[in-house]
Amino acid sequence: SQTIHQWPATLVQPVGSPLSLECTVEGTSNPNLYWYRQAAGRGLQLLFYSVGIGQISSEVPQNLSASRPQDRQFILSSKKLLLSDSGFYLCAWVDFRANYGYTFGSGTRLTVV
Amino acid sequence: RKEVEQDPGPFNVPEGATVAFNCTYSNSASQSFFWYRQDCRKEPKLLMSVYSSGNEDGRFTAQLNRASQYISLLIRDSKLSDSATYLCVVRNAGNMLTFGGGTRLMVKP
């Protein structure tokens, strides 16, 4: 069956430290993958999406980058975190079982201190 | 103007009440429509797709008016467990979903 995994669930990082969040999908091939961020009390902001290995589209220029080293792996990174990077980070994939809507991973709650 | 607009609420209703949420979208070429539910500090989950003819899933009824670019969600006989944020979502070309800001529902005993 198709599943999506994200880790870690929570993360507390100091300002200026690096970040790496990983998302993997199982049971499907060549999925479209997405990274979203949700600031506290706010809506979903699309950060990056990828339609295939090595293909990354950035929606919002900022302190983050994304990579897709393998078909079912999507990584969100930062070299130096800012306080404003705090938020709930969600990975999603296009799920044909959901009428081609998105199925989200369980998310990573990042607090930059 | 936001591409998908929703009243942020909160809607405070007693158990058993009927509540309706509305949503408007700006892109007339939008192809698919959804309602997602997001519980506090959790990921959004698909509640239901929205079809042109209107569709029902238990206590939930969704309707779409393409001419007015308007989507609605009706919840009958509200339960405490219905308390959540409801996101109106449209899909445009290229499998890109656009999310509304969400409408918060609080069902009180």
Side-chain angles (χ1 to χ4, degrees), chain A residues 32 34 36 38 44 46 49 88 90 98-102 104-106 109, chain B residues 34 36 38 41-44 46 49 51 87 91 94-97 99 101:
Chain A
N32 286 5
Y34 305 83
Y36 281 85
Q38 189 173 37
L44 291 166
L46 177 63
Y49 68 94
F88 190 35
L90 291 155
N99 196 23
Y100 297 94
Y102 294 168
F104 287 87
S106 55
R109 194 161 300 278
Chain B
F34 309 89
Y36 276 67
Q38 186 174 22
R41 300 178 69 82
K42 298 287 188 181
E43 75 274 21
L46 178 65
S49 299
Y51 302 112
L87 303 171
R91 180 163 67 92
N95 275 330
M96 297 299 294
L97 295 192
F99 289 79

Side-chain angles (χ1 to χ4, degrees), chain A residues 35-37 45-48 57-60 62 64 89:
Chain A
W35 277 112
Y36 281 85
R37 177 171 64 196
Q45 179 186 33
L46 177 63
L47 301 175
F48 301 95
S57 296
S58 173
E59 287 295 301
V60 183
Q62 54 197 313
L64 300 169
Y89 287 82

Side-chain angles (χ1 to χ4, degrees), chain A residues 20-36:
Chain A
S20 181
L21 301 181
E22 189 164 343
C23 170
T24 60
V25 181
E26 294 179 359
T28 187
S29 59
N30 198 31
N32 286 5
L33 296 172
Y34 305 83
W35 277 112
Y36 281 85

